[in-house]
Amino acid sequence: MIKGLIFDLDGVVVNTAVYHFQAWNRLANSLGFEFTEEDNERLKGVSRMESLNILLEIGGLTLPTKEKLRLASVKNEWYKEFINQMTASEILPGVTNFIDLVKSHGYQTALGTASRNAPLILERIGMQKTFDAIIDGNQVTKAKPDPEVFLKASAALNLEPSQCVVFEDAIAGLEAAHRAGMKCIGVGDQKTLTEADRVIPGFVNVNLSLLQL
Ligand code: B16
Ligand code: MG
């Protein structure tokens, strides 16, 4: 029986992918190559350093670790300029209502995200007290598709993995949820999220019957 809901952040609660794209695009341009929105799809749900590795592969560049750490930090400063401007208006449609609904029916909620900027984003959108547990990129050592982030989230809720369902927009996140032994509801496009147990386009008009998986 499902007792806990674990939400990914980027692509599920907010759409920070657009800001990641602008910052990665600026970095690619500064290194002398193009980075497209299609390329950006490969970075969804993937950690910051792994994202940089993919970007450098696209640009055909091999750089020493010290320089990669510097570039990741430069990108993050540009990204933070965007997220510092975020407000609650950027919470994706239906999310707040759905979380209120599940909480009023006794479900526990957690955030399970790869982002190390999650505390700042939650503060900006006024959701720092919404979840019973928050596991973000600062608390995990292994990035999705490793199940670590979701296993830590279920443990923080004192639940078994089988009692939790994950909401994810990224293929790496779906795989992480299944490897954790959890059901996974894809948020986005059915054609992309083929491994999900169910797919919703978003949270508008979603009710509790969704949790009967
Ligand atoms: P940061 P999620 C992920 O968030 C993003 O989808 C991914 O594009 C990003 O590289 C990753 O967070 C790390 O973010 O640079 O802020 O630590 O989808 O797991 O909520
Ligand atoms: Mg995501």
Side-chain angles (χ1 to χ4, degrees):
M1 189 183 151
I2 297 298
K3 292 188 172 174
L5 280 61
I6 304 174
F7 295 83
D8 174 53
L9 180 60
D10 173 28
V12 171
V13 174
V14 287
N15 182 16
T16 39
V18 291
Y19 304 135
H20 280 296
F21 173 65
Q22 296 201 41
W24 284 126
N25 190 32
R26 186 171 168 187
L27 187 71
N29 291 346
S30 77
L31 294 168
F33 62 92
E34 289 300 317
F35 179 72
T36 66
E37 287 198 52
E38 198 185 335
D39 294 328
N40 195 54
E41 287 300 307
R42 291 176 63 191
L43 309 191
K44 286 190 177 171
V46 175
S47 72
R48 194 180 308 164
M49 281 313 284
E50 185 52 27
S51 297
L52 178 63
N53 286 335
I54 295 169
L55 182 111
L56 294 175
E57 180 199 307
I58 290 165
L61 295 177
T62 308
L63 297 173
T65 305
K66 199 172 161 207
E67 178 62 358
K68 290 206 288 189
L69 289 169
R70 190 188 71 79
L71 293 177
S73 162
V74 167
K75 179 266 172 178
N76 196 50
E77 289 308 310
W78 288 336
Y79 175 64
K80 279 184 1 194
E81 285 174 20
F82 290 112
I83 54 177
N84 268 318
Q85 306 296 320
M86 287 180 81
T87 65
S89 67
E90 289 183 63
I91 299 169
L92 290 171
V95 168
T96 305
N97 281 351
F98 181 66
I99 293 177
D100 287 347
L101 175 72
V102 297
K103 284 168 100 171
S104 72
H105 283 77
Y107 291 95
Q108 294 192 72
T109 60
L111 191 77
T113 169
S115 177
R116 294 167 73 181
N117 291 297
L120 175 60
I121 296 168
L122 292 177
E123 187 199 319
R124 292 300 316 159
I125 63 175
M127 285 182 78
Q128 64 272 61
K129 297 214 170 88
T130 299
F131 300 97
D132 299 304
I134 296 172
I135 305 295
D136 63 34
N138 301 295
Q139 286 123 287
V140 295
T141 53
K142 288 170 252 161
K144 301 168 189 176
D146 190 280
E148 184 185 11
V149 63
F150 296 136
L151 290 172
K152 283 198 166 159
S154 65
L157 296 177
N158 283 319
L159 294 175
E160 295 297 325
S162 60
Q163 295 175 307
C164 296
V165 62
V166 171
F167 291 86
E168 254 293 347
D169 70 309
I171 294 166
L174 299 182
E175 187 183 332
H178 284 153
R179 281 170 62 182
M182 300 175 187
K183 290 272 174 36
C184 190
I185 297 177
V187 182
D189 186 359
Q190 181 98 50
K191 287 192 215 90
T192 312
L193 303 171
T194 51
E195 299 303 312
D197 297 288
R198 185 173 290 186
V199 179
I200 54 173
F203 287 93
V204 174
N205 295 328
V206 165
N207 58 47
L208 292 178
S209 63
L210 177 70
L211 302 178
Q212 279 152 22
L213 292 161

